[in-house]
């Protein structure tokens, strides 16, 4: 479980596919971990399989490759990183599981001074999962929904979020990982 607060932007060292498993190596400078720890990489919960020289290694299953934007990673690309919460940690964002629901695209951007409004168009139906002023995780970042429309929803980014996450690099047409709010998913499932 994660808070949706990015602790570091790391860099991809390598991304290789070996048979049905992908091997991902990321340069890490601040986050500390041990083998077996969970780290959210662009919002995807991954297990650390090796640590050496400021580098964390991860194995990606076929499901992870298929359902997330991690399949598009290349050497040098920035990624959002956050370690799993520990009992007693403050949750500064919202409960994020690191289980990506779908990929979406950035469909619009409006700059308002130093902040930005971004539109996200999910590849899957999001009716009942996005609530105005509710929570959503985009590439693992806990964000507040500004508004929801038939085919997309909008989020607002303050300067701190832009400066300290990979969202500052996103352009219209770029892919993002979307994890809908866990509470919204429970409510929707129980209303069936």
């Amino acid at each position: 479980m994660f808070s949706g607060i990015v602790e570091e932007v790391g860099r991809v060292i390598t991304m290789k596919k070996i048979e049905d498993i992908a091997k991902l190596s990321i340069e890490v400078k601040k986050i500390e971990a041990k083998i077996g720890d969970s780290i959210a990489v662009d919002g995807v919960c991954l297990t650390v399989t090796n640590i050496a020289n400021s580098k964390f290694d991860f194995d990606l299953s076929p499901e992870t490759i298929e359902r997330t934007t991690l399949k598009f990673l290349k050497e040098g690309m920035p990624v959002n990183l956050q370690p799993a919460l520990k009992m007693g940690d403050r949750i500064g964002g919202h409960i994020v599981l690191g289980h990506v629901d779908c990929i979406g695209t950035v469909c619009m951007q409006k700059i308002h001074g130093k902040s930005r409004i971004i539109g996200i168009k999910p590849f899957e139906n999001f009716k009942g999962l996005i609530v105005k002023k509710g929570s959503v995780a985009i590439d693992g970042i806990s964000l507040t929904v500004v508004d929801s429309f038939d085919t997309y929803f909008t989020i607002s980014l303050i300067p701190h979020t832009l400066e300290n996450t990979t969202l500052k690099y996103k352009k219209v047409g770029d892919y993002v990982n979307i994890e809908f709010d866990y509470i919204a998913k429970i409510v929707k499932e129980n209303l069936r």
Side-chain angles (χ1 to χ4, degrees), residues 43 73 137 192:
L73 292 179
R192 285 185 181 196

Side-chain angles (χ1 to χ4, degrees), residues 9-138:
V9 173
R11 293 270 171 197
V12 174
I13 298 170
T14 59
M15 174 68 154
K16 300 178 196 168
K17 193 163 182 195
I18 302 169
E19 296 177 15
D20 65 336
I21 299 290
K23 303 281 188 179
L24 174 63
S25 295
I26 297 176
E27 177 187 38
V28 179
K29 294 183 178 171
K30 296 191 292 190
I31 292 177
E32 294 182 12
K34 62 186 185 315
I35 293 173
D37 282 356
S38 293
I39 303 286
V41 177
D42 273 354
V44 182
C45 180
L46 299 176
T47 301
V48 177
T49 58
N50 189 47
I51 300 171
N53 303 322
S54 300
K55 175 182 75 126
F56 290 174
D57 293 335
F58 306 91
D59 291 342
L60 282 67
S61 71
E63 171 73 5
T64 300
I65 296 164
E66 177 62 30
R67 289 198 60 84
T68 73
T69 62
L70 298 187
K71 64 180 152 241
F72 304 122
L73 292 179
K74 298 194 180 347
E75 182 180 336
M77 290 179 77
V79 289
N80 294 318
L81 302 173
Q82 57 185 296
L85 289 169
K86 297 177 192 152
M87 269 313 209
D89 279 356
R90 183 181 332 189
I91 300 176
H94 73 281
I95 294 172
V96 177
L97 301 180
H99 304 161
V100 171
D101 292 301
C102 67
I103 294 174
T105 56
V106 175
C107 64
M108 59 80 73
Q109 289 196 45
K110 289 182 185 172
I111 297 172
H112 292 280
K114 293 184 178 185
S115 65
R116 193 179 302 174
I117 299 285
I118 293 182
I120 306 291
K121 183 177 183 177
F123 287 1
E124 295 181 14
N125 181 6
F126 63 95
K127 188 173 172 72
L129 295 171
I130 292 292
V131 179
K132 189 174 183 177
K133 306 303 177 217
S135 298
V136 66
I138 303 297

